[in-house]
Amino acid sequence: MTTQPWTATVLSIFPEMFPGPLGHSLAGKAMERDLWRLAAVNLRDHASDRHRTVDDTPFGGGSGMVMRPDVIGRAVDAAREGGAQGPLLYLSPRGRPLTQSRARQLADGPGLLALCGRFEGVDERVLEARGFEEVSIGDFVLSGGELAAMVLIDATVRLLPGVIGDAYSLEEESFSGGLLEYPQYTRPQVWEDRQVPEVLLSGHHERIRAWRQAMALEVTRRRRPDLLGEMTGHNPRTVGAAQPSADPERG
């Protein structure tokens, strides 16, 4: 029995937007190698009238239109019958924030189904009836869920086995250990009178590791102290009190 590659199924009224950026760089190359697959479903194909209507006016009044539950319900059911697997995700600014740990959970599964909302949103009944998980990529509003779905899929696909050649690099990234990533440097060694920190030129792996850990803590303390508050054994008021050299905030 052949195992199907990790598959992202996207429900949208603009399926032509996909793969878009997902067809390039790491995600695109991985798709060419069949490490993952993308299925874009046109929600209008599941409308019941000749105009292929997917929305209607909201009960209770108000501006804008709301996406119909019957159309979305049929689209979800058809996708499931077609073999689509994984959790149902609705990209919404009121959803739980997307995190690196959630992306890893999704990468460990068989795939996902992402609903891209438009207009004023989606009828609440279909979200409840089909068990959608609402996911947000930030505290802002987009014109639709397609770009958010691409962000979600890209964040997940890059964690799939074989997509990134150096698996160790994933362990060094921001959020992988609860911290933001330490600053990176490359050639030239001196640029506009700014030098690469000496410790990185020392060749002493343990000193470099310790410096990077200290810098990751310091950058996180300054920019995202909320992350430190979530880590066991770290106090955002005291972590990073010992200032490491070459502070990136001071240049």
Side-chain angles (χ1 to χ4, degrees):
M1 179 178 178
T2 303
T3 302
Q4 177 176 301
W6 189 93
T7 302
T9 302
V10 180
L11 310 178
S12 169
I13 62 172
F14 295 114
E16 65 274 12
M17 292 180 68
F18 295 87
L22 297 172
H24 301 272
S25 190
L26 286 172
K29 293 177 181 177
M31 190 187 301
E32 291 176 358
R33 294 160 55 200
D34 203 31
L35 295 179
W36 75 287
R37 295 177 183 174
L38 174 67
V41 176
N42 192 339
L43 285 169
R44 295 192 185 280
D45 291 342
H46 299 276
S48 58
D49 66 322
R50 64 188 181 91
H51 298 294
R52 306 176 79 200
T53 305
V54 299
D55 60 322
D56 210 328
T57 54
F59 283 116
S63 61
M65 306 289 278
V66 176
M67 298 185 77
R68 295 174 56 116
D70 52 344
V71 175
I72 294 174
R74 283 193 291 268
V76 170
D77 295 344
R80 288 296 199 201
E81 291 172 6
Q85 301 182 59
L88 287 169
L89 307 176
Y90 171 46
L91 284 307
S92 164
R94 74 178 191 180
R96 291 184 177 180
L98 175 63
T99 62
Q100 188 73 2
S101 61
R102 185 62 182 120
R104 284 191 177 278
Q105 292 172 355
L106 294 172
D108 289 337
L112 60 84
L113 286 83
L115 171 62
C116 303
R118 282 274 162 177
F119 315 116
E120 293 303 310
V122 172
D123 189 299
E124 189 73 17
R125 291 170 295 177
V126 73
L127 299 178
E128 296 173 350
R130 294 298 184 271
F132 275 94
E133 171 190 343
E134 297 190 48
V135 180
S136 170
I137 65 166
D139 295 336
F140 51 86
V141 179
L142 298 171
S143 299
E146 287 78 13
L147 292 177
M150 292 178 190
V151 169
L152 168 68
I153 294 170
D154 183 80
T156 304
V157 164
R158 62 191 305 280
L159 300 177
L160 297 175
V163 174
I164 291 183
D166 183 7
Y168 177 73
S169 65
L170 293 175
E171 301 176 5
E172 297 290 296
E173 292 180 328
S174 290
F175 308 112
S176 59
L179 300 174
L180 299 182
E181 189 176 14
Y182 51 78
Q184 299 277 11
Y185 299 88
T186 187
R187 293 183 177 83
Q189 186 173 328
V190 179
W191 177 75
E192 293 189 355
D193 296 326
R194 294 169 180 256
Q195 299 191 21
V196 173
E198 288 296 327
V199 64
L200 299 180
L201 308 176
S202 68
H204 194 294
H205 298 300
E206 183 56 31
R207 285 181 58 204
I208 293 173
R209 186 205 62 77
W211 180 87
R212 285 174 169 171
Q213 176 67 10
M215 291 303 297
L217 284 168
E218 177 62 14
V219 171
T220 305
R221 184 185 67 82
R222 291 186 173 217
R223 301 182 185 180
R224 291 291 305 276
D226 58 299
L227 294 176
L228 295 177
E230 299 171 2
M231 296 174 59
T232 302
H234 289 292
N235 186 328
R237 296 184 178 181
T238 59
V239 169
Q243 301 294 324
S245 60
D247 190 332
E249 297 289 335
R250 300 175 182 175

